[in-house]
Amino acid sequence: MLPSYIKICFIIFCSLLIFKKIFKKSSFKYLFYDILLCISSSFVFYIALQYFPFIYMILLILTLFTYCRLLYKIPIKITLTAICISIALSYCAFLISTIMLVPIIYFIYMITNSSNVTLIISHIFASIIQTLLSIGAFKIKRFKSGMPFLSQRTCNDTGLIISIFVLIITTLYYSFSEPNTLFFILVLTSILLCTTIVIWWRHNLNKAYWNAVHKNQIAALETEIINLKRDNDNLSKIIHKDNKLIPAMVLSVKELLEMSIALDNPSLKDISELKVKAAKLLEELEEISKERKGIMIETEQHLYELPKSNFMRLDSLISYLYQRCILFQIQFQALFNININQLMSLINERELDTIIADLIENAIYATKNQENKKILFCIDSKDNVFYMNIYDTGVPFNTDIIHKLGKNKATSHSNDGGSGIGLYNTISVCQKYSFSFIIEEAPGVDNFTKKISITFDDKNLFLYNGMNMAAS
């Protein structure tokens, strides 16, 4: 009884653990209730398994479905799909851990010479390995994000159907009193089906990723179309004004010339009138020139060609941030002076994209209300050390925020919806990889007011104007 009880208890526990990881919930969330459910319900499931093996699996699914539905409030179909997948993967993890322990089980039996003791010890070890496999699967870079695609309408029911087949086959295990050839065929089949679930999982993650990339590209193109339409309207206005103003200006210049020629012996009054008219004409021409210059500068900003990193997600992100700068009439420039592939060997691509997005968004907020609006983003290297610089002409950090950086979430633009989590996460990522985070005010480059640098140097420094803030 005890070996079966341990097995069922950990099947339930790992199913709940996998369910949380699928939806990126904390493993410790409701942990007490999870353990309570495992301990209290495993005996009931054990009885059901002994006398009604075909009802056991249905009862297990319904119990975990009801439990997770009440706690997490996830839609019914998505919860059912995730529960079936979680139980199937939990059983698969148990089978793999049991197969891994076969040599050790034989060794334990040789020492104890007791099948019951061997079963208890082997089930304990198998359950530990099963738990580690359930956690470890979500440590893999590809599967860290769980299964976000389950909530999308485009997601099909392939995972649910395969999981149901796995659970049916798993139920058939219990119809064998002793392992035989058919039993091992069923075990192999269930492992292969679980492998199919993993392939389906990976396929849907790739599909969701490319869908997100395409959405970002479409959003960037739509913004570009809006800007081009605005430029076209602005230029049309110039042409429309020019068609009316230029003949009027030509006439004014002619009148001025004719007046100056007609005055052979001009009096002071005549000279004064001539100067007034000339000054007025000059003022009007300067006003028109200024208006034209502003529109042309704004139009030229939209023609800037961004550098390419050959990473689709990063390029889409830079394009999106560039469009954001255009909306606020901020001059944005990006420079990639290294092969970005080399940088990706030092940091996770998603984390790199996140810190770039956070730092440039902060620069946009700091700059958008300034008279001089410029942002420069640069990735380069010096002495074989990679670094990333973000220059801006925005407002400087206040002292309170500098002292809170890396310790608490702090923001200087809470009125715009800022939470301070961006800089906090950026510094956390730097600490994770032991990168240096450096803030420099008045960097002395092209009227920029501040520079934020991340140096990929394995030194884990936090400097503000040369002062080590980590030590203060």
Side-chain angles (χ1 to χ4, degrees):
M1 175 184 170
L2 186 58
S4 296
Y5 178 84
I6 293 170
K7 175 185 172 182
I8 294 168
C9 191
F10 275 88
I11 288 290
I12 296 169
F13 181 76
C14 289
S15 298
L16 293 173
L17 186 64
I18 292 168
F19 180 89
K20 291 178 187 179
K21 293 293 185 182
I22 282 174
F23 295 105
K24 293 190 74 175
K25 307 288 184 184
S26 169
S27 302
F28 299 100
K29 191 173 186 179
Y30 303 123
L31 182 60
F32 174 76
Y33 296 112
D34 293 347
I35 295 170
L36 196 62
L37 178 70
C38 295
I39 294 170
S40 60
S41 62
S42 293
F43 181 74
V44 177
F45 291 130
Y46 171 76
I47 299 297
L49 189 59
Q50 296 302 310
Y51 299 101
F52 312 102
F54 289 97
I55 296 176
Y56 155 75
M57 191 59 71
I58 297 171
L59 184 63
L60 178 61
I61 293 170
L62 288 175
T63 302
L64 295 187
F65 168 79
T66 306
Y67 175 78
C68 291
R69 172 76 179 134
L70 289 172
L71 286 182
Y72 298 101
K73 312 295 183 188
I74 297 169
I76 292 172
K77 185 183 176 183
I78 298 173
T79 303
L80 181 62
T81 302
I83 283 295
C84 290
I85 291 171
S86 300
I87 297 172
L89 293 177
S90 180
Y91 265 102
C92 182
F94 180 80
L95 287 172
I96 292 170
S97 61
T98 304
I99 292 168
M100 290 170 63
L101 286 169
V102 167
I104 299 172
I105 292 169
Y106 178 76
F107 181 71
I108 293 170
Y109 181 75
M110 293 292 292
I111 294 174
T112 61
N113 202 27
S114 168
S115 58
N116 192 42
V117 173
T118 303
L119 276 174
I120 292 171
I121 295 172
S122 62
H123 273 72
I124 290 171
F125 278 107
S127 298
I128 293 169
I129 295 172
Q130 176 192 7
T131 306
L132 293 175
L133 287 173
S134 300
I135 296 170
F138 291 89
K139 296 291 183 182
I140 298 170
K141 181 182 176 181
R142 180 69 66 175
F143 303 119
K144 260 184 180 181
S145 57
M147 297 185 184
F149 53 82
L150 287 180
S151 58
Q152 297 173 359
R153 291 183 181 180
T154 54
C155 179
N156 55 41
D157 296 325
T158 305
L160 176 62
I161 294 165
I162 297 172
S163 299
I164 289 170
F165 275 111
V166 172
L167 299 179
I168 291 169
I169 292 170
T170 303
T171 306
L172 294 175
Y173 294 168
Y174 301 105
S175 61
F176 298 94
S177 56
E178 290 184 2
N180 55 29
T181 305
L182 182 58
F183 173 81
F184 288 114
I185 290 172
L186 289 174
V187 169
L188 182 61
T189 304
S190 62
I191 291 175
L192 289 173
L193 286 172
C194 284
T195 305
T196 308
I197 291 174
V198 173
I199 294 169
W200 167 81
W201 181 5
R202 186 168 182 240
H203 168 75
N204 278 278
L205 282 174
N206 285 335
K207 186 178 174 183
Y209 166 69
W210 287 113
N211 284 340
V213 168
H214 290 149
K215 282 182 181 178
N216 286 338
Q217 288 177 328
I218 290 167
L221 288 172
E222 286 176 347
T223 306
E224 184 67 15
I225 289 168
I226 291 168
N227 289 327
L228 289 172
K229 283 182 177 178
R230 185 175 65 186
D231 292 343
N232 187 57
D233 289 342
N234 289 335
L235 293 172
S236 297
K237 287 176 184 176
I238 288 177
I239 293 168
H240 181 71
K241 282 184 179 180
D242 286 353
N243 288 337
K244 293 183 177 181
L245 288 174
I246 290 175
M249 291 297 108
V250 169
L251 184 60
S252 296
V253 172
K254 280 183 178 180
E255 287 177 354
L256 200 62
L257 287 171
E258 287 172 359
M259 187 183 294
S260 64
I261 292 168
L263 296 174
D264 292 330
N265 297 307
S267 65
L268 290 174
K269 183 180 178 182
D270 293 332
I271 293 170
S272 178
E273 286 179 2
L274 193 63
K275 283 183 177 180
V276 168
K277 285 188 178 182
K280 188 175 181 182
L281 179 60
L282 180 61
E283 186 181 342
E284 288 176 0
L285 288 170
E286 284 178 345
E287 186 65 32
I288 292 168
S289 176
K290 186 178 178 182
E291 183 181 348
R292 276 169 145 273
K293 186 179 179 182
I295 293 172
M296 294 307 295
I297 287 172
E298 186 178 339
T299 303
E300 286 167 5
Q301 284 181 355
H302 303 162
L303 303 177
Y304 173 63
E305 186 176 347
L306 293 167
K308 298 296 180 185
S309 69
N310 296 322
F311 284 85
M312 182 71 75
R313 188 162 59 190
L314 178 57
D315 289 339
S316 297
L317 173 65
I318 297 299
S319 179
Y320 166 73
L321 292 168
Y322 173 52
Q323 300 303 328
R324 289 267 294 147
C325 287
I326 289 172
L327 290 175
F328 295 109
Q329 290 83 48
I330 298 171
Q331 294 182 44
F332 177 83
Q333 187 178 9
L335 301 171
F336 298 158
N337 296 326
I338 63 166
N339 185 341
I340 303 298
N341 280 303
Q342 297 173 299
L343 187 60
M344 291 303 181
S345 64
L346 302 175
I347 184 173
N348 177 288
E349 182 183 352
R350 181 170 297 167
E351 288 175 316
L352 177 65
D353 292 345
T354 302
I355 62 177
I356 289 172
D358 287 335
L359 291 175
I360 296 180
E361 280 283 1
N362 284 342
I364 291 171
Y365 280 118
T367 307
K368 67 178 186 177
N369 295 320
Q370 299 298 99
E371 187 175 343
N372 182 23
K373 304 178 183 183
K374 292 172 69 177
I375 294 174
L376 171 62
F377 171 58
C378 175
I379 300 178
D380 208 336
S381 67
K382 184 178 180 181
D383 299 329
N384 295 321
V385 176
F386 299 113
Y387 64 84
M388 182 170 72
N389 291 338
I390 293 96
Y391 295 86
D392 69 63
T393 55
V395 292
F397 290 106
N398 65 49
T399 309
D400 184 52
I401 288 176
I402 290 295
H403 286 294
K404 286 182 179 178
L405 285 179
K407 302 167 188 173
N408 300 298
K409 300 178 183 68
T411 180
S412 58
H413 55 88
S414 56
N415 294 335
D416 291 320
S419 63
I421 195 168
L423 271 176
Y424 182 83
N425 285 342
T426 297
I427 294 172
S428 298
V429 170
C430 289
Q431 290 172 342
K432 174 183 174 182
Y433 290 100
S434 296
F435 298 152
S436 293
F437 182 84
I438 303 163
I439 297 174
E440 185 181 347
E441 293 187 348
V445 178
D446 199 18
N447 297 321
F448 288 108
T449 55
K450 63 178 181 290
K451 176 180 78 170
I452 294 180
S453 301
I454 293 177
T455 308
F456 304 85
D457 57 4
D458 203 30
K459 293 183 179 179
N460 197 22
L461 297 174
F462 177 18
L463 303 178
Y464 173 69
N465 288 337
M467 182 173 62
N468 192 348
M469 297 301 292
S472 61

